[in-house]
């Protein structure tokens, strides 16, 4: 049987290598917020059968000449029908305003057949409310998960540990997603919007579900534990038994998400990308972090670290 648990500190180290750059990016660069959190107006423009060069600078010039300054423009590549998609975010512009009419007229004049697919304005009050709701949603999920797992594992030794370990794994996935989103925001312009929040909450549910599957097998194996089996042996056996199930289940979802990334519409591409990143992180944290935390906690934090260090020294000495 594979001894997965014995390498637990390597798994923690890999998680830190992913999380720390993301945290640095979050603290220094922050998140590139979309209209749902930053407020303003978003314009989605579709230019079919492009007859003139559609560039960010050309679109920005159109908005500036129409009296709409500070336009942030993203132009996507042509799709299979040779249509070009441009997403523009500006300060708040009201429906029916002269500025909107000027922009629409200028775009249609510069690009015949152009369509304004989306025109949406969100004020600062709504954006602040969205931010507060996002924070409350994650906090509420943490409380519910802790209470549910403590109740569900009440007949197992130290039931609170299962809830705490699941929350740590969930926060691991939240930090991974936020950190990667921060980095991608400044590399490829990925924006945090309402769909991002939906993807984040979906990632949390995936992560917790997979963690509960592993923990449930640990509980079952504890009831059938032999007298010579340590807690570490039980957790290792449980992880190995659920490993193939976890990977197969997540691969099925991943294949679907990858197909949507490649062939889906532009409007849901960021949503699918965040789901894919979170799904990979959630599978990793359930197997290689949450279960390992139970072992470290059972063995005692300091004693477990010293024991693992001495074990590596003995292996190194035997190899030499």
């Amino acid at each position: 049987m594979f001894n997965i648990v014995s390498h637990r500190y390597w798994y923690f180290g890999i998680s830190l290598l992913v999380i720390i750059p993301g945290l640095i990016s979050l603290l220094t660069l922050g998140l590139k917020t979309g209209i749902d959190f930053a407020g303003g107006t978003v314009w989605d423009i579709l230019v079919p059968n492009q007859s003139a060069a559609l560039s960010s600078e050309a679109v920005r010039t159109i908005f500036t000449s129409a009296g709409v300054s500070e336009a942030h423009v993203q132009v996507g590549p042509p799709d299979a029908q040779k249509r070009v998609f441009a997403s523009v975010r500006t300060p708040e512009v009201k429906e029916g305003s002269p500025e909107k009419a000027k922009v629409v007229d200028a775009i249609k004049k510069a690009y015949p057949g152009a369509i304004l697919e989306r025109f949406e304005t969100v004020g600062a009050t709504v954006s602040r409310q969205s931010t507060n709701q996002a924070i409350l949603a994650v906090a509420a999920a943490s409380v519910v998960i802790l209470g549910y797992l403590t109740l569900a594992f009440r007949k197992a030794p130290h039931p609170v540990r299962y809830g705490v370990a699941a929350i740590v794994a969930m926060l691991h996935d939240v930090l991974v997603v936020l950190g990667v989103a921060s980095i991608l925001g400044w590399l490829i312009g990925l924006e945090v919007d309402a769909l991002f929040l939906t993807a984040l909450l979906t990632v949390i549910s995936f992560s917790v579900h997979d963690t509960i599957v592993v923990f449930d097998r640990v509980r079952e194996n504890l009831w059938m534990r032999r007298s010579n089996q340590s807690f570490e042996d039980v957790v290792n056996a449980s992880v190995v038994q659920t490993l193939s199930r976890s990977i197969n289940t997540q691969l099925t979802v991943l294949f679907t998400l990858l197909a949507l990334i490649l062939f889906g519409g532009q409007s849901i591409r960021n949503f699918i990308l965040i789901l894919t990143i979170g799904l990979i992180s959630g599978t990793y944290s359930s197997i290689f972090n949450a279960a390992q935390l139970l072992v470290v906690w059972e063995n005692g934090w300091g004693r477990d670290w010293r024991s693992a260090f001495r074990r590596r020294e003995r292996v190194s000495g035997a190899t030499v």
Side-chain angles (χ1 to χ4, degrees):
M1 180 183 294
F2 297 109
N3 195 348
I4 295 176
V5 175
S6 63
H7 303 292
R8 50 191 171 274
Y9 286 101
W10 285 102
Y11 311 141
F12 298 155
I14 292 172
S15 292
L16 288 176
L17 286 175
V18 176
I19 290 174
I20 289 175
L23 280 177
I24 294 173
S25 178
L26 278 171
L27 294 174
T28 56
L29 301 175
L31 293 166
K32 190 169 184 179
T33 53
I35 184 174
D36 299 303
F37 293 97
T41 300
V42 64
W43 315 61
D44 287 347
I45 304 163
L46 183 65
V47 179
N49 300 320
Q50 186 180 3
S51 57
L54 181 67
S55 65
S56 299
E57 189 58 38
V59 174
R60 193 177 297 111
T61 300
I62 289 174
F63 275 81
T64 303
S65 61
V68 182
S69 59
E70 299 180 23
H72 300 275
V73 185
Q74 274 188 293
V75 177
D79 60 14
Q81 286 78 38
K82 297 183 179 180
R83 300 176 302 178
V84 179
F85 178 86
S87 180
V88 185
R89 196 178 76 197
T90 66
E92 186 173 338
V93 176
K94 296 186 180 299
E95 180 71 48
S97 64
E99 290 84 359
K100 180 191 175 185
K102 289 179 182 178
V103 169
V104 173
D105 290 342
I107 288 174
K108 289 184 176 180
K109 183 178 179 180
Y111 306 102
I115 302 169
L116 182 61
E117 280 199 323
R118 177 189 177 199
F119 177 84
E120 183 179 354
T121 299
V122 176
T125 303
V126 176
S127 65
R128 284 195 297 270
Q129 184 180 3
S130 299
T131 304
N132 293 335
Q133 287 177 343
I135 296 171
L136 285 174
V138 175
S142 300
V143 173
V144 172
I145 289 166
L146 178 61
Y148 169 74
L149 288 181
T150 302
L151 181 64
F153 289 84
R154 62 188 179 278
K155 294 184 179 179
H158 312 294
V160 176
R161 294 181 181 178
Y162 294 87
V164 173
I167 290 176
V168 171
M170 179 196 74
L171 293 177
H172 166 281
D173 301 330
V174 170
L175 288 176
V176 168
V177 169
L178 291 177
V180 172
S182 175
I183 294 171
L184 292 180
W186 300 103
L187 288 178
I188 63 173
L190 187 145
E191 293 186 344
V192 174
D193 54 14
L195 274 179
F196 176 89
L197 176 58
T198 304
L200 185 61
L201 293 176
T202 306
V203 166
I204 289 174
S205 66
F206 267 112
S207 173
V208 174
H209 174 266
D210 211 36
T211 301
I212 290 175
V213 170
V214 178
F215 284 176
D216 195 54
R217 185 56 59 92
V218 171
R219 178 178 57 179
E220 292 175 357
N221 288 336
L222 280 174
W223 292 340
M224 301 180 290
R225 176 167 57 168
R226 298 187 301 272
S227 57
N228 62 341
Q229 261 190 319
S230 65
F231 184 79
E232 184 173 333
D233 294 332
V234 172
V235 173
N236 187 72
S238 303
V239 169
V240 171
Q241 290 167 9
T242 57
L243 186 61
S244 60
R245 177 261 174 208
S246 297
I247 293 177
N248 289 336
T249 301
Q250 309 301 7
L251 278 177
T252 304
V253 182
L254 270 178
F255 290 147
T256 305
L257 293 178
L258 289 174
L260 287 172
I261 289 177
L262 294 174
F263 306 110
Q266 181 74 26
S267 59
I268 64 167
R269 190 157 293 172
N270 289 345
F271 170 75
I272 301 300
L273 178 61
I274 292 301
L275 267 185
T276 304
I277 294 168
L279 188 66
I280 295 171
S281 175
T283 304
Y284 181 89
S285 66
S286 299
I287 297 171
F288 299 109
N289 284 339
Q292 322 305 325
L293 281 174
L294 291 179
V295 175
V296 174
W297 205 338
E298 178 71 19
N299 293 344
W301 300 94
R303 292 195 306 274
D304 183 80
W305 184 86
R306 289 192 296 271
S307 173
F309 183 75
R310 285 195 297 268
R311 186 162 55 246
R312 284 197 296 272
E313 280 190 328
R314 286 198 298 268
V315 172
S316 300
T319 303
V320 173

